[in-house]
Amino acid sequence: MPRATLTLVLATLACASTGARVATHSVTPAWATDFLKRWYASYNASDASGLAHLLASDARFGSITGRTAIGFTRVARLLGRSGALRMVLGLRTVIYPTPDLAAAKRWYTDMLGVSPYFDEPFYVGFSVGGFELGLLPDATPGTVGPQPLWGVADIGLACSRLIELGASPLEPITEVGGGIKVAAVVDPFGNRFGVIENPHFSASAVR
């Protein structure tokens, strides 16, 4: 989709979802498109303060409601400076194949220290720090392929605890630079379970 078309579509959605009004008339798609184009030219699209400054300094469009500003901010956060759609927003779910779902549910409940929030014969899901760890019965476990890393405060203690619970060592604790340490074990069902101690991780950056 051409940038101009994408911008127009998203801007129109923003206006429709917020009931946007400027002065005494409704925001039009043409106004919204021009607004976002000028923002791309001057500001980083993830910078909400840039939007506030633009709104406050541009008298040509008159007053604008706070709800409109929120709507444009949400749209702009999905777009890069060039106007390209940001398709991948961040980690959401990691799924582990577990042919013995009942045993896996018990093990992961003990290991995580929480009960699953979703528990059905076809899928079990745990909420872990705002992300999801899922167990899927109809799949084959393995240690190759994508390698997610779950955050821990002390990787030494975490690895010791995992092994106490029945996991097997796979990759030793390794410092990879900047104080970041990684390691991995094999869970009792044959999956690679990776952990990371990252002092630079910012929870506030999670989207």
Side-chain angles (χ1 to χ4, degrees):
M1 181 182 296
R3 172 187 170 188
T5 303
L6 178 61
T7 301
L8 177 59
V9 169
L10 291 176
T12 304
L13 289 175
C15 295
S17 66
T18 60
R21 297 188 68 84
V22 176
T24 60
H25 60 279
S26 298
V27 171
T28 65
W31 179 92
T33 301
D34 182 66
F35 180 90
L36 287 177
K37 283 182 178 178
R38 291 184 303 108
W39 189 12
Y40 296 146
S42 304
Y43 299 97
N44 184 311
S46 64
D47 182 7
S49 65
L51 174 61
H53 174 75
L54 184 58
L55 290 171
S57 63
D58 193 340
R60 180 168 66 133
F61 296 117
S63 62
I64 190 166
T65 67
R67 290 179 64 210
T68 304
I70 292 172
F72 277 119
T73 300
R74 288 174 178 169
V75 170
R77 281 176 177 165
L78 295 176
L79 301 171
R81 193 179 183 91
S82 66
L85 183 63
R86 292 180 182 172
M87 184 176 66
V88 178
L89 302 179
L91 179 67
R92 294 294 183 267
T93 303
V94 177
I95 296 177
Y96 290 91
T98 50
D100 189 338
L101 190 60
K105 182 173 67 175
R106 289 193 299 270
W107 191 83
Y108 274 91
T109 296
D110 289 342
M111 189 269 288
L112 296 172
V114 297
S115 297
Y117 80 92
F118 187 88
D119 188 355
E120 294 292 342
F122 56 87
Y123 182 81
V124 173
F126 295 85
S127 179
V128 184
F131 303 103
E132 178 163 336
L133 187 155
L135 305 178
L136 190 67
D138 299 325
T140 304
T143 59
V144 297
Q147 300 184 354
L149 298 171
W150 293 96
V152 296
D154 186 313
I155 198 167
L157 291 177
C159 288
S160 296
R161 177 59 176 159
L162 285 165
I163 291 171
E164 286 175 5
L165 289 170
S168 304
L170 180 63
E171 299 168 10
I173 297 172
T174 303
E175 184 164 351
V176 294
I180 300 172
K181 301 175 183 178
V182 298
V185 299
V186 180
D187 73 11
F189 315 98
N191 294 301
R192 179 187 185 278
F193 188 87
V195 291
I196 181 170
E197 180 183 323
N198 183 359
H200 309 292
F201 175 77
S202 174
S204 63
V206 173
R207 293 291 183 269

